């Protein structure tokens, strides 16, 4: 098994979470091992005032969000931020969808709306419509009431609630995540008390999917293990299995009773088609088996700061779904009590109105098409410059991100010489590009490839 165990199981979920937290803190405390931690007065002491937190060391910047911090400090007018996972217009500006503005105005104009707490599980309409969006309105699981959906704090919160539930109520405490994956996955699952291992996914040689390695690692996984799957537009590689490959993955996972946990952050944002981007999830639901799905509306509705997401758990029976929901409430209540109302109200307003839904799909496809256009323009620019190497992976990959294949030295060179910012693994956000900035990026990549090993 090509796995890396980054957390260990303990006798109980609480113990596992505590152990994970201790290990997390130990990593920081080692740096300050030579500093004594004196008992510090909290008030009324004479002489030098010493904080009770003097032993706290400065944590490193988040590897993704830290890119923006560095970018903001750069005074160069030519600087370009390709690290952040947020859509930008051709002019490089954040976009609020017209349909979102219209829905928001409708909510503001409705004087009957109040600001009362939502139930623990969130806005009922939002939950129902979110499940239909990802599973399909004709999903047997929905028709048979075998799905429980709870509103969560975007995709991250949905993953964390699901992880906490599994740590308490699922017999296997090992989760396999693709290598590579979104940087936050390891922390989300590890701090929830799950043991995190990896399965092979990306092949640097082809800049595509290591499908045989993926199958081999999942075959070697213990029966019943949890497997994290990116529903579409894999982050950070932009490499997705084909429909035929998804079917092989499904058959293998069901044969070994592996539990699928889908992370769906880009439905409709990858191909421009909501149904096509949900097909991997629906494939697993159609066979009658169980699975978890974390949804985010950050990308496909541009609601990044509203933190709107949902966790759906597909169960064998309606009775089980009801009991699962009762336990999800016990996870959520001490975590954040209940979710915010505004963003979920925007989503439900759009999803339940046929005209607004249609308007959303048009705007969504326009965003997806612009990203696809940026891929083609960058590929053409590199080919036109005669940049060494095969860059066809740029147009073969899908979604917001491209895994360029650039190494950390080349990334540092581009930052220092061309003021282009990206994560050290060479991932770039295609949504941060424009027709104006493609030539600058192509020049930088050409220089990095030809001048830096």
């Amino acid at each position: 098994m090509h796995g890396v165990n980054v957390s260990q199981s303990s006798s109980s979920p609480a113990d596992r979470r505590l152990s994970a937290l201790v290990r997390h803190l130990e990593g920081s405390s080692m740096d300050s091992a030579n500093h004594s931690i004196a008992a510090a007065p909290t008030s009324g002491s004479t002489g030098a005032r010493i904080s009770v937190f003097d032993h706290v060391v400065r944590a490193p910047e988040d590897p993704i969000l830290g890119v923006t911090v560095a970018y903001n400090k750069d005074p160069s007018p030519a600087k370009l931020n390709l690290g952040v996972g947020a859509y930008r217009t051709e002019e490089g500006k954040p976009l609020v969808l017209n349909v979102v503005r219209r829905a928001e105005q409708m909510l503001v104009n409705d004087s009957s709306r109040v600001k009362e707490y939502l139930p623990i599980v969130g806005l009922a309409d939002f939950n129902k419509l979110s499940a239909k969006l990802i599973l399909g309105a004709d999903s047997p699981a929905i028709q048979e009431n075998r799905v429980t959906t709870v509103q969560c704090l975007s995709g991250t919160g949905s993953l964390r609630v699901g992880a906490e539930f599994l740590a308490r109520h699922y017999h296997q405490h090992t989760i396999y995540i693709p290598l590579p994956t979104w940087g936050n996955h390891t922390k989300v699952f590890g701090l929830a008390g799950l043991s995190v291992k990896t399965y092979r996914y990306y092949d640097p040689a082809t800049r595509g999917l290591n499908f045989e390695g993926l199958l081999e690692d999942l075959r070697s996984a213990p029966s019943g293990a949890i497997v994290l799957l990116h529903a579409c537009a894999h982050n950070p590689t932009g490499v997705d299995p084909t429909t035929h490959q998804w079917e092989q993955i499904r058959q293998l996972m069901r044969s070994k009773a592996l539990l699928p946990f889908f992370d769906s952050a880009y439905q409709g944002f990858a191909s421009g088609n909501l149904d096509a981007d949900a097909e991997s999830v629906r494939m697993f639901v159609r066979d009658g088996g169980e699975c978890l799905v974390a949804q985010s509306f950050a990308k496909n509705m541009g609601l990044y700061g509203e933190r709107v997401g949902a966790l759906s758990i597909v169960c064998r029976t309606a009775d089980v779904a009801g009991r699962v929901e009762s336990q999800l409430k016990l996870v959520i209540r001490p975590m954040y009590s209940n979710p915010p109302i505004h963003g979920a109200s925007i989503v439900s307003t759009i999803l339940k109105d046929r005209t607004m839904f249609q308007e959303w799909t048009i705007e969504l496809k326009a965003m997806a098409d612009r990203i696809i256009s940026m891929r083609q323009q960058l590929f053409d620019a590199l080919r036109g410059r005669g940049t060494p190497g095969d860059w066809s992976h740029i147009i073969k990959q899908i979604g917001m991100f491209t895994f360029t294949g650039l190494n950390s030295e080349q990334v540092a060179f581009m930052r220092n010489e061309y003021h282009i910012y990206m994560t050290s693994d060479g991932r770039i956000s295609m949504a941060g590009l424009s027709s104006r900035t493609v030539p600058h990026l192509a020049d930088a990549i050409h220089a990095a490839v030809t001048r830096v090993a």
Side-chain angles (χ1 to χ4, degrees), residues 231-259:
C232 67
H234 179 273
N235 178 8
T237 70
V239 175
D240 285 353
T242 65
T243 302
H244 179 64
Q245 288 171 331
W246 269 120
E247 177 57 23
Q248 289 180 263
I249 294 169
R250 185 197 67 79
Q251 290 180 15
L252 172 60
M253 288 184 61
R254 292 310 194 196
S255 71
K256 288 185 59 67
L258 301 175
L259 181 63

Side-chain angles (χ1 to χ4, degrees), residues 395-412:
I395 51 178
K396 291 176 182 176
Q397 294 171 6
I398 191 171
M400 178 173 280
F401 301 108
T402 285
F403 223 42
T404 59
L406 297 168
N407 61 41
S408 58
E409 289 79 14
Q410 291 166 332
V411 169

Side-chain angles (χ1 to χ4, degrees), residues 348-391:
S348 59
T349 298
I350 293 169
L351 295 185
K352 69 185 177 185
D353 183 281
R354 183 173 298 180
T355 302
M356 295 183 80
F357 181 88
Q358 183 63 25
E359 183 181 343
W360 173 51
T361 61
I362 293 170
E363 291 193 82
L364 179 56
K365 190 173 189 311
M367 289 192 289
D369 285 349
R370 198 185 84 76
I371 292 174
I372 293 169
S373 170
M374 290 302 102
R375 289 183 177 279
Q376 188 65 53
Q377 288 185 40
L378 179 58
F379 172 73
D380 291 343
L382 291 171
R383 188 171 57 178
R385 284 162 175 75
T387 305
D390 178 9
W391 298 94

Side-chain angles (χ1 to χ4, degrees), residues 104-112:
E104 204 162 31
Q105 194 60 55
M106 289 170 61
L107 296 171
V108 169
N109 292 342
D110 184 357
S111 60
S112 68

Side-chain angles (χ1 to χ4, degrees), residues 2 7 18 167 211 242 271 302 308 338 364 367 402 404 411 450:
H2 292 249
S7 67
L18 184 58
F211 188 56
T242 65
S271 68
V308 193
N338 44 44
L364 179 56
M367 289 192 289
T402 285
T404 59
V411 169
T450 55

